[in-house]
Amino acid sequence: MTQQMRDLQMGQPKKPSGPSSPNAAKRLYRNLSGKFRVNYTSFDEGSLAARNEKERLRKSCLFQGNAALFEAVEMQDLDRVQELLKQYSVEELDLNTPNSEGLLPLDIAIMTNNAPIAKTLLQAGAKESPHFLSLESRSLHLSTLVREAEQRVNDLTAQVVNEAPNVDCSEKEKQLKSWEWRYRLYKRMKAGFEHARAPDPPTNVRLAVTSSTTLRVTFQEPLSVNSAVVTKYKVEWSLSSSFSPNVGEVVIEKLRNLQFNIGVLFQ
């Protein structure tokens, strides 16, 4: 009897392995889906973290490039300025974004009377700071920078003299040297601004007829080596030799191609 039962059990077909009910199948699907979702999420988070880290390093590198450019201009290091302009684009250097003092590299180059660096920056597309709408506002700002730097030097000098030699004192001595140098820089910039004079007029000014209603004016920068740096040109035109009234005017800030087409002219 036992042998017959065994033979009967062996003769029956085996049930397929798997979920014993539809509910069990659903639970199994949810468990597997959950595991896959966790894996995908982990992968996405890792990829996002890597991209964020890469972007952080890129911004850090660009910030260092911007700081290096300001330092090179302040130190009047033309070779370093040219090297940075080749290494980075104008956008990457934030060439026309003012620093914490509201100044741009071109402002510093002009007010320290460094024509070679100023012209190099201009050829790269540099502009003057938009924060100074008048000569008076620029003069006032420079006076403020000089006064604040002088006060900072006096404060640090008193701290270094009155404190005993220690780690903090050594750090303050470094700060003092840095502010002494910056104080001299601001004084030099202020003196350069106060003694600035109008640049010489452009040379080789020519007027050509390009059509029945348009003219083209071309010109070149001043020839004088000692002339002030020109950051922009204004072209005015009129139907009267006295230029009263003006028919129109335009300011040219892109100095690579010194020309302008005057259109829609009538007798």
Side-chain angles (χ1 to χ4, degrees):
M1 182 67 178
T2 304
Q3 182 63 35
Q4 290 176 352
M5 292 294 294
R6 185 180 297 112
D7 294 340
L8 180 61
Q9 292 174 354
M10 293 180 63
Q12 292 178 350
K14 293 184 179 181
K15 294 182 179 181
S17 58
S20 58
S21 67
N23 291 335
K26 292 179 180 178
R27 287 195 299 272
L28 177 61
Y29 175 78
R30 284 197 299 270
N31 291 338
L32 290 174
S33 298
K35 291 180 181 180
F36 284 123
R37 282 198 299 271
V38 170
N39 290 338
Y40 284 136
T41 301
S42 300
F43 175 79
D44 291 342
E45 289 177 350
S47 177
L48 180 60
R51 288 198 299 269
N52 289 340
E53 177 64 14
K54 184 177 180 180
E55 180 65 15
R56 187 189 68 80
L57 292 174
R58 186 187 72 85
K59 290 182 178 179
S60 175
C61 181
L62 296 181
F63 174 78
Q64 292 175 4
N66 176 267
L69 179 63
F70 270 100
E71 181 180 0
V73 174
E74 292 173 351
M75 299 296 294
Q76 304 191 51
D77 188 343
L78 176 59
D79 291 339
R80 180 59 173 157
V81 170
Q82 293 173 333
E83 178 184 343
L84 289 167
L85 290 173
K86 290 179 181 179
Q87 184 176 355
Y88 299 97
S89 68
V90 173
E91 292 75 17
E92 290 173 337
L93 282 174
D94 278 344
L95 186 59
N96 292 314
T97 299
N99 62 7
S100 57
E101 286 81 28
L103 300 172
L104 288 170
L106 182 59
D107 296 318
I108 299 171
I110 291 175
M111 289 186 287
T112 54
N113 295 319
N114 195 314
I117 289 182
K119 291 181 179 180
T120 299
L121 293 172
L122 283 168
Q123 289 297 320
K127 297 179 180 180
E128 295 177 278
S129 176
H131 295 305
F132 311 111
L133 301 178
S134 66
L135 296 177
E136 292 74 14
S137 64
R138 185 180 289 267
S139 178
L140 179 61
H141 185 69
L142 287 171
S143 297
T144 301
L145 290 178
V146 171
R147 184 173 62 255
E148 290 177 349
E150 182 180 19
Q151 183 61 49
R152 188 65 173 158
V153 168
N154 292 337
D155 293 342
L156 287 169
T157 300
Q159 293 176 21
V160 170
V161 170
N162 295 328
E163 290 185 6
N166 53 41
V167 176
D168 291 339
C169 183
S170 177
E171 180 62 28
K172 288 179 180 178
E173 287 178 348
K174 293 179 181 179
Q175 294 180 16
L176 176 59
K177 290 180 180 180
S178 175
W179 275 103
E180 286 176 338
W181 181 86
R182 190 152 295 278
Y183 174 52
R184 292 193 297 269
L185 172 66
Y186 292 154
K187 286 181 63 177
R188 190 166 73 249
M189 290 170 57
K190 186 173 183 294
F193 173 74
E194 291 174 347
H195 292 88
R197 58 185 178 84
D200 293 340
T203 59
N204 295 329
V205 180
R206 300 179 184 278
L207 193 64
V209 178
T210 55
S211 75
S212 60
T213 58
T214 60
L215 300 173
R216 175 177 297 166
V217 58
T218 60
F219 53 94
Q220 296 178 357
E221 63 181 8
L223 294 178
S224 175
V225 177
N226 297 322
S227 176
V229 176
V230 180
T231 59
K232 58 178 71 74
Y233 294 89
K234 179 187 285 187
V235 177
E236 299 176 322
W237 58 95
S238 173
L239 299 178
S240 170
S241 59
S242 63
F243 277 79
S244 179
N246 280 353
V247 175
E249 65 180 34
V250 65
V251 175
I252 299 177
E253 296 186 80
K254 296 181 179 181
L255 306 185
R256 291 185 177 181
N257 192 16
L258 299 179
Q259 66 176 27
F260 181 73
N261 291 323
I262 303 173
V264 194
L265 294 177
F266 299 96
Q267 184 69 28

